[in-house]
Amino acid sequence: MEKMYDTIIIGSGPAGLTAAIYAARSGLKTLVVAGEQAGGQLMLTTDVEDFPGFPDVIQGPELMLRMRKQSERLGAQFINANATKTDLSKRPFKVQTGAKTFLAKTLIIATGASAKWLGLTSEQALVGKGVSSCAVCDAPFFKGKRVAVVGGGDSAMREALFLTKFASEVNIIHRRDKLRAFQALQDRVFANPKVKFVWDSEVVEVLGKEKVEAVRAKNIKTGKEAEIGMDGLFVAIGHKPNTEFLKGQIELDQKGYVVLKDQSRTSVSAVFAAGDVHDWHYQQAVTAAGAGCMAAMDVEELLEEEKPKEKISKVQPTK
């Protein structure tokens, strides 16, 4: 039999887990469809220094585990499966995970966005060990060290500029001989003495066993390869929102991010969104958590408004 929930939260990163904490604490019957690889991008992060409340640093996976335990203690239920299909055409909404179907009065989309990687085995082996997709998250660990940024767009330039506050040298590795970034960002990058460029090149291998030690870059015009000593590699070729299963059911922008209409509300009534699934700009754990809080509070407010009003009968005085 299909189970009915006040709200189903799809996703278990900072946004989804914070939404679960607030929804469960409000007394809502809450289900989190956590995914087969639960926890979001923080599961790939080692030391987290910028999440409030942890002065001695906390590991990304540990932070996610604590948030999950907190939401479970408050009453949220979990299923470690991917949402394979949704039906948002009418309420209650249907969320399918394989052969199981769940019903929801409201829905919170918190599936996040996944960093686009280079697709190298050596790259994936060193994620969290010098390979990163977030300079704001990890730049402080590279004080006085040499790093590289792969990419030529706005995101790559912002990553590079942020890294110059910490690293001794920032190499921008780009497949073309000119940047695609907004001109003002280009001007700032070209003017920074810490930035160097490796044009017409792509990273073909990340070198190192326990940590990044160098990258091998190939010039796509000449075919020549060069080994560049590095302490860190930041991949900044974009993110892809995890919204494939929502296409045709809810309004998405050209890049696939959920479009918000008001606060956390989407184009479908009673469907809300939180975190990197709509936020392409900040993409931080703390902003995702804040968005999760907002979504859960908006859900609670909607359900409260929809409750049938109790009729107050006047007691007739006895004669």
Side-chain angles (χ1 to χ4, degrees):
M1 184 178 292
E2 298 168 336
K3 292 184 178 180
M4 173 73 79
Y5 291 87
D6 291 319
T7 191
I8 291 180
I9 300 165
I10 306 179
S12 59
L17 293 179
T18 303
I21 290 169
Y22 273 79
R25 192 168 182 269
S26 296
L28 303 181
K29 187 177 181 181
T30 303
L31 174 68
V32 180
V33 180
E36 292 175 357
Q37 296 179 332
Q41 292 193 69
L42 278 187
M43 298 301 288
L44 303 176
T45 304
T46 50
D47 294 342
V48 177
E49 287 188 322
D50 51 9
F51 199 88
F54 299 94
D56 298 322
V57 182
I58 186 170
Q59 300 290 298
E62 183 185 353
L63 177 59
M64 292 297 90
L65 179 61
R66 289 192 185 193
M67 292 178 72
R68 175 163 175 162
K69 286 182 176 179
Q70 184 178 2
S71 61
E72 287 178 322
R73 179 181 63 81
L74 292 166
Q77 299 175 36
F78 281 76
I79 178 170
N80 293 323
N82 294 329
T84 54
K85 187 178 179 181
T86 58
D87 182 358
L88 309 184
S89 61
K90 61 182 179 180
R91 297 174 69 187
F93 304 121
K94 291 183 179 180
V95 177
Q96 193 170 321
T97 62
K100 294 182 178 180
T101 300
F102 303 92
L103 302 180
K105 298 176 184 176
T106 63
L107 194 64
I108 297 177
I109 307 297
T111 47
S114 300
K116 294 180 181 178
W117 297 100
L118 302 175
L120 303 173
T121 301
S122 56
E123 167 201 46
Q124 292 303 303
L126 292 169
V127 169
K129 299 176 183 178
V131 173
S132 173
S133 62
C134 179
V136 174
C137 308
D138 298 328
F141 302 119
F142 295 89
K143 290 180 180 177
K145 297 183 178 181
R146 296 180 68 197
V147 300
V149 175
V150 179
D154 291 349
S155 296
M157 296 310 104
R158 290 193 178 96
E159 296 273 284
L161 288 168
F162 190 82
L163 283 162
T164 60
K165 298 177 182 180
F166 303 91
S168 60
E169 180 180 308
V170 179
N171 291 266
I172 295 177
I173 304 173
H174 187 37
R175 289 177 54 87
R176 300 171 62 191
D177 58 3
K178 59 183 178 180
L179 301 173
R180 295 179 288 104
F182 187 63
Q183 190 59 50
L185 282 173
Q186 292 192 39
D187 294 342
R188 289 174 60 194
V189 168
F190 285 127
N192 195 304
K194 286 188 176 183
V195 178
K196 296 183 178 181
F197 293 88
V198 183
W199 299 110
D200 299 316
S201 298
E202 61 182 3
V203 175
V204 293
E205 187 177 8
V206 185
L207 304 173
K209 293 183 179 180
E210 298 301 320
K211 62 179 182 178
V212 173
E213 297 174 3
V215 298
R216 182 173 288 117
K218 178 182 179 180
N219 187 295
I220 60 177
K221 290 183 177 179
T222 66
K224 291 184 178 180
E225 295 185 1
E227 190 174 306
I228 309 170
M230 290 292 157
D231 299 296
L233 178 68
F234 289 80
V235 181
I237 55 177
H239 286 76
K240 183 181 180 181
N242 301 317
T243 55
E244 285 291 328
F245 68 102
L246 294 172
K247 285 185 177 179
Q249 300 187 73
I250 198 170
E251 185 178 352
L252 307 173
D253 68 13
Q254 292 181 342
K255 293 183 178 180
Y257 288 93
V258 174
V259 175
L260 296 187
K261 297 298 181 180
D262 178 35
Q263 297 167 328
S264 65
R265 292 170 174 80
T266 71
S267 60
V268 178
S269 178
V271 177
F272 303 80
D276 291 3
V277 75
H278 72 79
D279 173 24
W280 54 266
H281 183 67
Y282 295 103
Q283 296 183 325
Q284 298 299 300
V286 68
T287 53
C293 163
M294 292 168 60
M297 292 182 72
D298 288 342
V299 162
E300 197 275 336
E301 182 179 15
L302 174 68
L303 292 176
E304 193 64 31
E305 289 174 353
E306 291 180 342
K307 280 184 178 179
K309 304 297 181 183
E310 294 182 5
K311 293 182 179 180
I312 302 175
S313 59
K314 292 183 179 180
V315 177
Q316 296 296 325
T318 57
K319 293 182 180 180

